[in-house]
């Protein structure tokens, strides 16, 4: 074949990096070429039978998708499940079904042709939308149409069966296909279609499969069994790489795998200092589907479940049942580990439709009607009560802790606790179960609360210091303003003194003090927090292995001495240097990475 030798030479293609990691493997081309549907007219007497045939094919498609969902393992991400469910909904959508039935009955055409026309109509609507996310949804309707068409024609709809360690190459992959490819089945994925929000991207990330998409013309240059390198960080695909290129990427792959393994190697080890002090490393999450990853990274509990997302997604505000079901789902996944749920913390940088619609027109939203203030205001009171009812009922199903954000002082705390008592009384009246011993805690994220921590500590079961806001309010630095971000300094001596005092107040009252701001996940800052006497740190899951490594390499006694010393220093820079020098002198321990 002319030019074949040339095309067999190493070639690099650039696309969009959507899922990190390096994959090296042989190409497995997914043909699945679009089927050309037969087109013919049917006799008026056969129209009904043709409609029935269409309904049967839709039913079969629905059952196949249901089966694929059944096979998804617990470790697989919820995104697969939701995307396939969305396809099932499309199968039943009137725009598809009624339109196709309409074409059959009005124009006496066969089911395949009618279906193609209905799919094309919907596609046209998506084509006209500017938004990239919605344009990518075009492929969803294509996949749904294709499946029904295959069923109408009795063609293969079975799963893809690539050999292990293959790199799957496709124009595009249906979610149903992608969901069945996971880390252990294939090495990587590359497609011509798609962008960062395409389902291939979402699912590849959830399955930790290196992936590059948006590689135009790819399926024309790659042949089955070609050796491929997928660089999911650089967004590069190398076709038929030379031996030195393979060696270079193998090296990169080895380094990445070693780093990941070293970090995750301590997953089942306790976060215990060399002199035996146990630090509880918890995860911050936004929903139950993040719990799997949290546990995989070694979290022993959830220290902050931010419930705001329930209010920000979808067009309906969450009701009692939604709160109940979501919390029970989270407790089930936590399997007996503690789960700290924070009541909604909306307003300022976390906006929900109902707050925006109220047009509060505040000059300083960060200092305005937000968070617990909103819960106690007419605008949010009923939503708050519904959340409390749902969460209290869920507390019967596992170790739930309830946490209130942005508490400024005792009046506010007592007002919130009074609502909790009212809700408990309602539940009792309706003979609904809840945990009568349910732990109630507050976030310390304002200087006013920190200063009277001793008074607050008498009336709650735990504290969690929210330093993201505490730094903002202590230093008068807007946490989302780049212009002043240089002043946003977790190791500022003022903040360390506040943390010391809050930890002390908690200890004196015999209640646990956690810290759940971003600084908990910084391996240079976490040892200072441990030295200050905080026994619970809650952070994003990916930060846990490294923080655990530092904890395991440290001694609490030494950290206490270090903290005494840094508390005498005048600036954050001096404190940072002192801590860095201490950490540099630590000998790594087994599993300390
Ligand atoms: C905080 O303020 O530190 C915190 C954890 O809460 P959020 O970031 O959700 O405001
Ligand atoms: Mg906060």
């Amino acid at each position: 074949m002319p030019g074949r030798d040339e095309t067999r030479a190493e070639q690099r293609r650039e696309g969009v990096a959507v899922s990190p990691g390096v994959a090296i493997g042989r190409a497995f081309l997914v043909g699945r070429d679009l089927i050309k549907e037969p087109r013919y007219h049917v006799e008026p007497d056969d129209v009904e039978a043709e409609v029935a045939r269409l309904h049967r094919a839709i039913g079969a498609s629905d059952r196949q998708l249901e089966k694929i969902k059944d096979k998804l393992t617990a470790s697989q991400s919820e995104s697969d499940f939701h995307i396939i469910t969305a396809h099932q909904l499309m199968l039943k959508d009137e725009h598809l079904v009624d339109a196709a039935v309409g074409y059959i009955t009005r124009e006496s055409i066969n089911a395949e042709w009618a279906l193609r026309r209905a799919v094309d109509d919907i596609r046209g609507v998506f084509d006209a939308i500017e938004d990239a996310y919605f344009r990518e949804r075009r492929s969803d309707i294509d996949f749904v149409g294709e499946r029904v068409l295959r069923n109408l024609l009795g063609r293969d709809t079975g799963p893809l069966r690539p050999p292990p360690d293959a790199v799957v190459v496709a124009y595009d992959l249906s979610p149903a296909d992608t969901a069945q490819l996971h880390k252990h089945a294939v090495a990587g994925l590359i497609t011509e279609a798609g962008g960062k929000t395409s389902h291939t991207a979402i699912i590849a990330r959830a399955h930790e499969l290196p992936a590059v998409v948006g590689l135009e013309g790819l399926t024309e240059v790659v042949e089955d069994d070609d050796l491929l390198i997928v660089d999911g960080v650089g967004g590069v695909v190398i076709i038929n790489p030379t031996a030195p290129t393979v060696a270079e990427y193998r090296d990169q792959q080895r380094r990445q795998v070693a780093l990941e393994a070293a970090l995750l190697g301590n997953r089942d080890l306790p976060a215990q200092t060399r002199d035996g002090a146990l630090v509880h490393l918890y995860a911050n999450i936004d929903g139950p589907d993040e719990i799997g990853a949290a546990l995989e990274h070694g979290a022993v509990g959830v220290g902050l479940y931010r419930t705001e997302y329930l209010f920000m997604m979808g067009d309906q505000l969450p009701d009692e049942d939604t709160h109940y079901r979501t919390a029970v789902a989270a407790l089930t996944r936590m399997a007996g580990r503690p789960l700290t749920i924070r009541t909604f913390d909306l307003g300022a940088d976390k906006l929900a439709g109902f707050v925006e619609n109220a047009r509060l027109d505040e000059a300083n939203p960060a200092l305005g009607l937000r968070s617990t203030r909103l819960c106690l205001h007419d605008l949010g009171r009923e939503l708050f009560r519904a959340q409390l009812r749902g969460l209290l009922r869920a507390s019967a199903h596992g170790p739930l802790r309830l946490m209130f954000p942005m508490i400024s002082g005792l009046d506010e705390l007592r007002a919130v606790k009074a609502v909790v008592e009212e809700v408990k009384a309602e539940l009792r009246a309706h003979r609904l179960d809840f945990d009568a011993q349910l732990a109630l805690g507050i976030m310390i994220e304002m200087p006013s609360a920190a200063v009277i921590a001793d008074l607050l500590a008498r009336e709650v079961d735990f504290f969690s210091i929210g330093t993201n806001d505490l730094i903002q309010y202590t230093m008068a630095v807007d946490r989302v303003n780049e212009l002043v971000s240089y002043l946003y300094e977790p190791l500022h001596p003022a903040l360390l003194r506040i943390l010391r005092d809050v930890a002390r107040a908690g200890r004196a009252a015999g209640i646990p003090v956690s810290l759940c701001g971003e600084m908990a996940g910084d391996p240079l800052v976490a040892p200072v927090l441990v030295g200050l006497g905080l026994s619970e740190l809650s952070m994003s899951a990916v930060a846990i292995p490294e923080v655990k490594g530092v904890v395991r390499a440290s001694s609490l006694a030494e950290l206490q001495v270090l903290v005494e010393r840094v508390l005498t220093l005048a600036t954050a820079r001096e404190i940072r240097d002192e801590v860095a020098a201490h950490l540099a002198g630590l000998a790594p321990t087994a599993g300390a990475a």
Side-chain angles (χ1 to χ4, degrees), residues 229-466:
I229 296 177
V230 182
D231 174 355
V233 176
V236 175
V237 168
I238 302 167
I239 307 159
N240 294 311
T242 60
T245 309
V246 173
E248 177 197 327
Y249 275 92
R250 283 239 183 268
D251 253 14
Q252 192 175 322
Q253 201 180 30
R254 265 193 291 272
R255 278 197 302 276
Q256 268 176 13
V257 171
L259 190 70
E260 222 174 276
L263 283 176
L264 287 175
N266 68 17
R267 184 183 67 181
D268 300 318
L269 299 175
Q272 195 164 26
T273 59
R274 296 199 319 276
D275 48 352
L278 198 60
V279 182
H280 301 281
L281 297 186
Y282 287 2
N284 294 347
I285 61 165
D286 290 311
D289 56 334
E290 291 177 23
I291 290 174
L295 301 182
E296 266 170 37
H297 285 85
V300 293
V302 163
L304 169 63
Y305 172 177
R306 295 180 165 103
T307 55
E308 295 79 47
Y309 288 87
L310 284 172
F311 294 79
M312 293 174 172
M313 292 184 321
D315 351 303
Q316 280 196 329
L317 287 166
D319 57 8
E320 171 182 340
D321 235 48
T322 305
H323 290 296
Y324 171 75
R325 276 185 286 105
T326 319
V328 171
L331 283 167
T332 307
R333 286 174 202 202
M334 291 299 286
R337 299 173 187 89
L339 172 73
T340 317
I341 304 193
R342 176 175 78 182
T343 53
F344 67 83
D345 182 28
L346 293 165
D349 52 324
K350 304 185 193 100
L351 277 180
F354 82 97
V355 187
E356 281 179 293
N357 293 342
R359 300 191 183 283
L360 296 173
D361 196 21
E362 296 175 295
N364 288 304
L367 307 179
L369 184 63
R370 57 174 297 199
S371 194
T372 292
R373 302 162 186 190
L374 192 58
C375 297
L376 295 173
H377 185 275
D378 283 350
L379 194 56
R381 191 177 297 119
E382 281 315 308
L383 289 168
F384 183 51
R385 293 178 80 94
Q387 181 170 41
L388 287 179
R389 275 196 301 272
L391 296 181
L392 275 160
R393 281 172 50 208
S395 71
H397 297 266
L400 193 155
R401 306 195 299 183
L402 202 54
M403 180 159 83
F404 304 105
M406 301 274 302
I407 294 290
S408 61
L410 273 163
D411 288 338
E412 215 166 24
L413 170 60
R414 288 174 186 159
V416 160
K417 287 177 72 176
V419 183
V420 173
E421 284 311 313
E422 284 166 26
V423 170
K424 280 186 179 176
E426 281 168 27
L427 295 181
R428 277 193 204 99
H430 288 91
R431 298 186 184 288
L432 288 166
D433 258 6
F434 63 90
D435 173 9
Q437 308 302 319
L438 174 69
L440 297 185
I442 56 171
M443 293 189 70
I444 302 285
E445 33 190 2
M446 289 184 215
S448 62
V451 171
I452 59 160
D454 56 328
L455 304 176
L456 291 165
R458 296 183 199 147
E459 303 194 18
V460 294
D461 300 310
F462 65 94
F463 281 159
S464 186
I465 311 179

